Amino acid sequence: MLTNAFKVTSTSNNKIQIKVLPGHFATSHSHINYYLDMTRLKVGQREAKEVASTMAQDYQYNKPVDSIICMDGCHTIGAYLAEQLSDAGVMSMNAHQSIYIIEPEFDPNGQMIFRDNIQPMVRGKNIVLLLASATTGKTIARSLECIEYYGGIIQGISAIFSAANAINDIPIHSIFHTEDFTSYQSYSHHDCPFCQSGQKIDAIVNNFGYSQL
């Protein structure tokens, strides 16, 4: 399936490349014409460290960070990001003077929750929300709502790729943007021109990977 894939290099760090595959793909919220394969960036030691180093530049001078909430399997990046921020002297305001790297849980209804033992790492803490990608912004909006519910203080949002520049007036810091990919498009399920022209879906995709149809 990946035979026609190509690579795009980040304009902010030439050591970071993302694999791109053109086609007709369905996510949980939209249909897109490019699948962005971030696997190596999330799980490769060298790649994840480069991603974290680039993301750290958005926080290392003026923002306290207590917890990094990792979505989409971004734990390796989150760990390196915490290390980068600590080495840069970014303050943790919690009693342990340590940056927590945590993830939410999802109940059977898809509601994002934090268990009792994790909640103290969110309540009253300065939070960075870390994601692999954001296309429609719905995942970020749901995450912000959950963090606010549990008393977290959002200091920033970071993503490997984002189609939006901000949500709820909070900037989204991303390494890749839609401008990095020629003719990147995202459509609602009902307005997808590929579906309207009868073009079959190539794969179901999410931030963990893809499944061919």
Side-chain angles (χ1 to χ4, degrees), residues 67-183:
S67 297
I68 300 172
I69 296 180
C70 300
M71 310 287 288
D72 311 329
C74 288
H75 308 91
T76 305
I77 297 172
Y80 279 120
L81 178 57
E83 182 178 68
Q84 293 277 350
L85 295 178
S86 297
D87 289 347
V90 171
M91 294 295 295
S92 300
M93 308 305 290
N94 62 75
H96 298 98
Q97 293 291 294
S98 178
I99 297 177
Y100 305 122
I101 303 153
I102 58 180
E103 66 174 322
E105 185 178 345
F106 294 90
D107 67 16
N109 297 318
Q111 180 66 42
M112 186 171 159
I113 62 173
F114 292 100
R115 296 287 180 178
D116 293 358
N117 54 307
I118 300 296
Q119 290 178 22
M121 301 176 187
V122 179
R123 188 178 300 110
K125 300 298 186 291
N126 297 289
I127 305 290
V128 169
L129 178 64
L130 173 60
L131 307 95
S133 69
T135 51
T136 64
K138 290 183 178 180
T139 298
I140 292 179
R142 184 174 62 173
S143 300
L144 295 179
E145 182 180 353
C146 175
I147 293 168
E148 181 180 351
Y149 174 81
Y150 285 103
I153 304 164
I154 290 290
Q155 291 290 359
I157 304 170
S158 289
I160 299 174
F161 165 78
S162 178
N165 294 320
I167 187 167
N168 297 348
D169 296 324
I170 303 174
I172 301 173
H173 305 290
S174 62
I175 294 175
F176 293 96
H177 316 270
T178 53
E179 294 83 2
D180 296 316
F181 312 101
T182 305
S183 303

